[in-house]
Amino acid sequence: MSITYLEAIREAQAKLLRDDERVFIYGQDVGGAFGGAFKATKGLAKEFPGRVLNTPISEDAMVGAAIGAAIEGMRPIVEMQFADFSSVALNQILNNAGTHYWRTNVPVPITVRLPSGGTKGSGPFHSQSMESIYAHYPGLIVMTPATVEDAYTMLIEAVAIDDPVVYCEHKYLYYHLKADKLPSQGVPTGTARIAREGRDLTIVSYSAMLHEALAVAEQLAGESFEIEVIDLRSVKPLDTNTVLASVARTGRLLCVGESFPWGGVTAEVIARVAAEGFHLLDAAPQRLNAKDTPIPYHPNLWSAHRPNAKEIARKARALLRE
Amino acid sequence: MPQVPIIMPQLGESIAEATIVDIKVKPGDEVADDQEILDVETNKAVMGVTTPCKGKIAQITVQLKETYPVGAVLGYVEASEADAARFARQAPPQAQREVAEEIPARADQEVAPAREKKVAARDGDGARAGGLPVPVTPKGATFMSPRIRARMAELQLTTADLAGIMGTGAGNRVTIKDLENFLFKIESQTAQDASAIRTGVADAMRRSWTRPLSTIGSSVNLDPVLQDRQSRDPKPGPGLYALRALALALAETPGAAAKLIGNRVVQSTSIDVGIAVEAEDGIMVPVIRSAEKTSLVDLATKYKELIELARQRRISPDMQAGGIATVSNFGTFGMEWGTPIPLPDQTLLLGLGAGKKVPSWNEQKKEFVPRTEAQITLSFDHRSIDGGGAGRLLKRVIELLETPKKL
Amino acid sequence: MLQTAQRQSKAKKPSPPHERFLEAYRWMLLTRTLEEKLVSLYRGGLITGGVYIGKGQEAVSAACGLFLQKGDIFAPLIRDQAGRSAFGEPLLDVTRTYLGSRQGPMRGRDGNIHRGRPQDNQLAMVSHLGAMISVTVGALMAKRFKGEKDFIGLACIGEGGMQTGAFHEGMNIAAVEQVPLVIVATNNHYAYSTPNDREFACHDLVDRAIGYGFEGYSLDGTDLSACLEVIGGAVKRARAGRPPQLVVASVLRLSGHGEHDDASYVTEEIKREPFARDCLKVAEQTIADLNLVDAKTLTEWRKEAAVKVDEAIATAQKEAPPEGDKEDWCAISVRDLVDSPE
């Protein structure tokens, strides 16, 4: 039996709907037989009538309604059709959900699923990775699962968390990533995972970039470099301790992310390591992000825009030679 | 007929590239399995590159004396289908990843130009004008990463301790791995804790050595001193005569012991001169205050006391501070001359070697006559005093030593 | 000005008051007393940040709060003090929030009209107007999911707030979800300094109701009886399961946008319009005309209101403010997931 990343998300939602009557799914095209633009809810509307609801194209109202429902005790999952469209709901997510507990002491247990990242030909408005924006504002948890197992357990955990969770699922991984089975328990959010142990260089990554980093580590192993690869799993909270411990082992750091270069996850990791682990660094820490332009449409341009294994390898080799 | 690429092999751990030193074949040549077709040189050795399979050389794409990275294509062999297929099976497997983009070997990797620093370089007066000169790259042999610095601080190492490490980082800088390997090797040798005196002397010498030190020397006739001391009680040693001579000479030209600190010339009012005294585990240098006012006899008495104190290890740091010059009589160890290192807070060190009977030309008698001669050297901080000034001082010391009645 | 003249409803002669007329009047009186006091505190430099009062809208607002019962959701906005009080908000909540007491419902973390008690169904607004409509919708959906009965939601908005995208989405989704929502939109003719002719172009905002699938009603907001009739009726219809209700009330804003604003842009002509009447004075006139209470009682009521307000202010003024270094700087409830960037 083989299960894809997308199927894991669907299974998690099925389990949530089954086990918790407070859960409902709210989003565009999620209901009926259609089951979502990416089939993440296929079959669920039928199995759980009245709990998988199609919304109008109203991202602001989708999240606003979720907030209201959460205040009244429900555990809504909002599916954004593409992460890129969540910008319409930015106000509700950042200013309403994100501030509510701090202002009123009443937490808002909503989960907003963002299909993130690019696939060839998706273009500037169907490819974005917005984890950096959401992590920047206080009051939100931001998850970035990179594996089939994490996709499953972290979504279940997201709904259980009393605070708003932005769950960034990567579209490229939907059908490309497969696992043999789903775990019954997962590692709690807030803990990064050492995906590959090493001693010469630490690559910190998350989501789809994890797999690029692992490919690079494999390649460089053939050149006798042992690269340690860390999967952050969640970018907020960010597991600084695991990163520091790794840099303590290797002395060299490369951060790789798919979002735009200014600020963001890679900058945050490096800022923390520079501040708390300066004495651990044997070379200046480096990072690699997408280019500082909107995401291009043409597959050639798209694959040049985002970090890929070739770019990561080049950067890693340069850092290893320092 | 398929063209099979000839690939630069991985010639050893951490080898990144090699230079073509011999091309043994040309297009059209038939080659057999495992035949050597090229020689390449790395920084370790010359090695042969063999053909991937038997066939005919189609082309050699590299040049003699040029350098190519591991994995680069060096040429092509035209081979049969069967032989080409064998090569494909033997070649390292491509990474079977749908997710990853193709990762080429280093051959395809262009050297990305380092991003030009947009910071404008400043001209020399930058620091004074309020701006700092900007280093172009934070690299080079002496670059010490924060990690290196932290580790050195932890182990109380100084750059002098790292002299024995050849760095493998960019520009031959010492990487943390180099340092840790070095420390590991030391652990496997016998090691014991250094005594406080040893580390103290090491630190003082390291600090002293940060200055440009120079030494001049000459010979001194010791017979007058040797004769003079017979009439004194207690008998001062030649070292004490030298101390007295130095003190008087400095009293005449105190500027010779002045210290340059920054761009100020600092002068002490008191002619305090130290004398090296050997203790059990190192040299102590107690200072005789106002040595020009201390008679030889008093010097001898004082010296005896100091020897005793040294033996009891009761010479305190206070007693060793504040001198402007020091005398070291290493002649007592049988050494003839030396280039002693002035103490870090002083600019002069007078060294007296062992006396020995030598023939000396006597101009009046027009013959060699025996005399007891010693080499006397003056080491000095060349920032504070020049060879001329040092020379004049030394000459005066010698004059005084050769007329011991004046001392 | 022609446009607004067309919108004005026909002048009414005093009709018999609604059964809750006096009850509503007393909320209006309390509110006016409170807000006048807040204004003078503000002018005395004792309040930091904005002060937003609902002078001229007390009748509409009191009616909103009055018909809500336990279990209903109330989403007041910035000029709904009367509604909040009628809904049950303690005066201390107001004074503590404005005067910066640590014991206020927002604990100093938000101020003035951004306060609320979500656990008691009074939503705490965000500044982005229109955003609370969909939140109210969601809360109503939740009640429905949970099987609750006989509940409604009432959200307040102004003619300016009605123009945001968020409002549009909220109104649309309310109708799509068929929740028992009443939106009371008060056109007080100025959105900050912007008059109606730069705010919207349709003939009458109530015309939008049909466009969204709502039932729409107009209201002379200066007439307390009318407010009670129309808003009470809307609430009743919502409880009965009718489509969502839109009530558009017409008044003039009788203050600045906030107390920092002198409203010098309000024209003299508009101040002469019928909708510019002070609803409190109109109500008092009605009381006088119909002799509903005697002057002595009125005086007592006024005194009582003043005493209540003064007490609430005095209490709040004595209380300690929050302190930066004693604050729990944590924006999430799950402490295990706190990120530590420094």
Side-chain angles (χ1 to χ4, degrees), chain A residues 200 212 247-248 280 282 317, chain B residues 99 109 145 147 173 176-177:
Chain A
D200 297 320
E212 305 289 314
V247 177
L280 303 174
D282 196 37
R317 286 199 188 100
Chain B
V99 176
Q109 178 187 339
S145 70
R147 184 109 182 209
R173 68 121 178 163
I176 190 63
K177 288 223 165 80

Side-chain angles (χ1 to χ4, degrees), chain C residues 161-203:
Chain C
M162 284 181 85
Q163 310 318 320
T164 67
F167 178 81
H168 157 78
E169 289 194 19
M171 206 162 153
N172 182 56
I173 213 167
V176 167
E177 292 294 354
Q178 299 173 52
V179 289
L181 176 67
V182 178
I183 295 181
V184 177
T186 305
N187 178 9
N188 63 10
H189 289 83
Y190 278 91
Y192 206 144
S193 71
T194 308
N196 284 175
D197 64 352
R198 289 299 298 170
E199 199 65 50
F200 56 91
C202 60
H203 172 69

Side-chain angles (χ1 to χ4, degrees), chain B residues 202-223:
Chain B
D203 184 64
M205 291 299 101
R206 176 189 65 81
R207 284 186 288 117
S208 187
W209 198 252
T210 60
R211 308 170 294 173
L213 302 171
S214 190
T215 306
I216 49 162
S218 194
S219 52
V220 59
N221 181 3
L222 274 187
D223 284 320

Side-chain angles (χ1 to χ4, degrees), chain C residues 4-20:
Chain C
T4 42
Q6 278 170 354
R7 289 202 198 98
Q8 175 206 334
S9 50
K10 299 187 176 47
K12 288 188 163 80
K13 57 181 202 292
S15 44
H18 193 278
E19 61 177 357
R20 302 184 77 175

